[in-house]
Amino acid sequence: MFLLLSLCMCGLLLRGDAQDRAALWRGNDRSGRCQYTFSVPSPVEASCPQMGGPEVENLKARLSLLEVLVARLTGGDTGGPQGTGAEARAQSGLQEALNRATGERSLLQGEKERLEQELEGLQRRMEEMRRETERLRNKPCLPQTPIVPPSPPVQVSGLTGPAGGSKPMSHLMTRPNRQGDSSSLRDSEWQFGPAGFQELKAEVTEVPAPDGSEDNTGCGELVSVGEPVTHRKAESIAGKYGVWMQDPEAVSPYGPNMVWRIDTIGSDVRQLFGYDDMEQLSKGFPSKVLLLPELVESTGATLYRGSLYYQRRRSRSLIRFDLASESIAARRDLPHAGFHGQFPYSWGGYTDIDVSVDEQGLWAVYSTSKAKGAIVISQLDPNSLEVKRSWETNIRKNSVANSFIICGKLYTVASYTAPDTIINYMYDTKTSQGKSIAIPFRNKYRYNSMIDYNVAQRKLFAWDNYHMVSYDLRLARQQAI
């Protein structure tokens, strides 16, 4: 049949115009079978195009890709829609992992900056201590001159304590007078004030700090601090350091039970979380989240009369943020204040400016170049943020872990990591006098980055290594007889 078909086609070609050019061959193929073939030259093409080669292979590859795309678009490929969905889910997962990694990178970058700043601070302190050691080594010792009591009766008053230092007074020295009674005098760290005033006796009564329902009649010197009570632990690394607080004079639309919180780790600290009460805080259910217009610097923020007061990042500017209108109500530079690691607390964290509230109003604790790193206390106008009055102490800010103010008295904490440390210094703005004290204080979680007095509850609020804790207080009322 193959032979017949070939002959028929040959006959047709021989009848055409090209019959003189047709050719017929007869021969065996490779298998030994007889095979008839014929050829006819093309009347149009001078030469046949190359078959195969790179062009054809590229064309085949492009056609294969086109067939796959058409199959996916038309759904002809049974695995098409599933494959597309899997790819979409994979891309979504990769994007989420990328976002998470980017966020963790930002947090780690902020932590790196803080650690570098702490290292610089430690190096500065080591250099200062070295210079102080050399100065004391070269300083000649002064001869000790005993105090000779005068012959007439002595009336003692106006005792003044040491202005700085952290060594607590450990004992009392009793010195009888001619009338047979005795006056309790401090040891050698104290000096006699000028004579000529009427002798006073002080009767100190220890009383618990009154609750927030009473007026400011409970003011007095701090006697003791209770054990820390844990209210909540932060959920992520952003909450290793932070600040939590209540408004002692809350303003509508927020009530007096509202608790506020800021996590301060990261390069973009601007979220303020609000909780209806302490119970909602412990459960982790915020009822309000505010986005602050300016970034927050460290853990020195506070609340007062419906406004959040905080330091703007990388500046000495203080900001008053109105909670009701969610806008900045006032902004002012704290004159000459150090910032961003110039005069922080000993734990670092850019804690150069610490804003707080007590019964007497709004305060700022900081230092300046003029004060050479010593703590400066300023009372601020809560509306305009203007400085009303300032006091300069004799205790270096980077030598203490933190501070808080109660009834116009500044208290400093010796260590932020030691589980059992002390409150080692008190400065009274009423008398402009400071003295060393030794009140036991516990850092339960061994990294206390924020300690503030909560006027609303008359407690200390602290942020200790992810944990939000509070301390009960006992104050003493001193009355002259």
Side-chain angles (χ1 to χ4, degrees):
M1 186 173 179
F2 178 81
L3 177 60
L4 178 62
L5 179 60
S6 298
L7 291 173
C8 290
M9 293 181 67
C10 180
L12 290 172
L13 290 169
L14 290 173
R15 292 189 200 94
D17 296 336
Q19 52 183 320
D20 57 337
R21 288 175 289 173
L24 177 66
W25 288 273
R26 176 178 177 271
N28 295 330
D29 61 8
R30 292 182 180 180
S31 62
R33 296 180 61 185
C34 181
Q35 186 177 18
Y36 292 84
T37 60
F38 65 92
S39 61
V40 179
S42 172
V44 179
E45 298 172 328
S47 62
C48 295
Q50 291 287 338
M51 299 302 295
E55 295 82 2
V56 175
E57 294 301 324
N58 291 337
L59 181 60
K60 287 181 179 180
R62 294 174 65 186
L63 287 173
S64 299
L65 291 175
L66 182 60
E67 288 174 355
V68 173
L69 292 174
V70 171
R72 289 184 177 180
L73 291 174
T74 59
D77 186 359
T78 56
Q82 291 84 354
T84 303
E87 289 181 2
R89 288 193 296 273
Q91 290 180 357
S92 177
L94 288 173
Q95 185 63 40
E96 182 179 352
L98 177 61
N99 293 338
R100 185 166 56 252
T102 304
E104 291 179 357
R105 179 179 178 276
S106 299
L107 293 177
L108 292 175
Q109 183 65 29
E111 183 71 2
K112 176 187 174 185
E113 293 179 2
R114 188 192 66 79
L115 291 174
E116 289 176 349
Q117 181 268 335
E118 284 190 17
L119 178 61
E120 293 176 1
L122 288 173
Q123 291 173 344
R124 289 196 301 268
R125 290 181 62 191
M126 289 177 62
E127 181 63 23
E128 291 172 358
M129 292 174 66
R130 186 190 64 79
R131 290 196 298 265
E132 182 67 13
T133 302
E134 290 295 328
R135 187 185 66 81
L136 293 175
R137 185 178 298 168
N138 298 328
K139 182 178 179 181
C141 296
L142 297 177
Q144 297 289 333
T145 55
I147 300 176
V148 180
S151 55
V154 178
Q155 292 183 341
V156 182
S157 64
L159 296 180
T160 60
S166 59
K167 179 180 176 183
M169 276 68 74
S170 58
H171 62 278
L172 298 177
M173 179 178 68
T174 302
R175 178 180 177 183
N177 63 14
R178 292 200 173 192
Q179 281 76 16
D181 60 351
S182 62
S183 301
S184 296
L185 305 179
R186 293 290 186 183
D187 61 8
S188 58
E189 289 185 327
W190 292 75
Q191 296 85 34
F192 289 104
F197 295 94
Q198 182 180 1
E199 182 178 355
L200 295 178
K201 295 180 182 179
E203 187 176 273
V204 179
T205 305
E206 187 176 322
V207 296
D211 56 33
S213 61
E214 296 186 15
D215 201 355
N216 297 340
T217 56
C219 272
E221 189 171 329
L222 182 64
V223 173
S224 65
V225 178
E227 289 293 310
V229 177
T230 304
H231 298 274
R232 179 159 183 81
K233 181 180 179 180
E235 302 83 4
S236 66
I237 189 175
K240 178 175 175 63
Y241 318 130
V243 54
W244 69 300
M245 52 209 155
Q246 285 184 297
D247 191 340
E249 299 181 23
V251 177
S252 179
Y254 303 108
N257 295 326
M258 197 80 176
V259 184
W260 299 87
R261 157 191 173 184
I262 303 175
D263 297 344
T264 60
I265 285 285
S267 57
D268 189 36
V269 179
R270 62 171 71 239
Q271 285 186 318
L272 175 65
F273 297 92
Y275 303 83
D276 289 337
D277 50 37
M278 297 290 287
E279 181 180 0
Q280 295 304 309
L281 171 72
S282 64
K283 293 179 179 178
F285 299 148
S287 59
K288 187 72 175 179
V289 180
L290 299 179
L291 192 64
L292 301 174
E294 297 284 359
L295 297 180
V296 179
E297 183 86 306
S298 198
T299 61
T302 193
L303 279 167
Y304 188 49
R305 295 180 181 176
S307 293
L308 173 73
Y309 297 85
Y310 68 95
Q311 176 192 356
R312 180 177 175 270
R313 183 174 171 82
R314 293 181 179 271
S315 76
R316 60 172 58 94
S317 295
L318 296 180
I319 291 178
R320 174 191 166 207
F321 177 78
D322 183 70
L323 298 178
S325 64
E326 300 183 15
S327 62
I328 294 179
R331 181 199 306 258
R332 186 179 295 274
D333 281 358
L334 189 58
H336 311 295
F339 64 94
H340 204 66
Q342 288 181 289
F343 305 110
Y345 291 125
S346 61
W347 75 269
Y350 305 125
T351 51
D352 300 77
I353 300 176
D354 191 1
V355 187
S356 61
V357 170
D358 74 345
E359 294 83 356
Q360 299 180 14
L362 185 66
W363 302 87
V365 176
Y366 59 103
S367 187
T368 65
S369 297
K370 182 180 178 181
K372 299 180 180 179
I375 290 179
V376 176
I377 310 168
S378 289
Q379 191 166 25
L380 307 178
D381 184 286
N383 295 317
S384 65
L385 299 176
E386 289 182 334
V387 174
K388 298 164 65 176
R389 187 180 175 187
S390 294
W391 295 260
E392 184 177 317
T393 71
N394 289 328
I395 185 166
R396 297 183 65 84
K397 192 166 184 288
N398 62 7
S399 70
V400 298
N402 225 304
S403 72
F404 54 91
I405 297 179
I406 303 176
C407 301
K409 298 179 178 66
L410 172 80
Y411 297 88
T412 64
V413 180
S415 173
Y416 61 94
T417 55
D420 296 297
T421 184
I422 60 170
I423 298 170
N424 60 349
Y425 182 79
M426 187 272 286
Y427 185 91
D428 191 347
T429 59
K430 183 177 181 180
T431 62
S432 299
Q433 296 293 325
K435 67 178 181 179
S436 297
I437 57 178
I439 299 174
F441 185 87
R442 278 187 57 79
N443 295 313
K444 183 176 182 179
Y445 301 101
R446 303 192 178 190
Y447 209 106
N448 217 325
S449 59
M450 165 253 169
I451 305 174
D452 268 335
Y453 177 51
N454 184 315
V455 188
Q457 295 193 23
R458 300 293 176 90
K459 298 176 183 287
L460 289 182
F461 274 19
W463 195 294
D464 191 357
N465 202 10
Y466 294 95
H467 297 82
M468 284 151 267
V469 299
S470 65
Y471 302 79
D472 288 332
L473 304 175
R474 295 187 70 85
L475 305 177
R477 287 196 296 266
Q478 183 169 328
Q479 299 174 341
I481 301 176

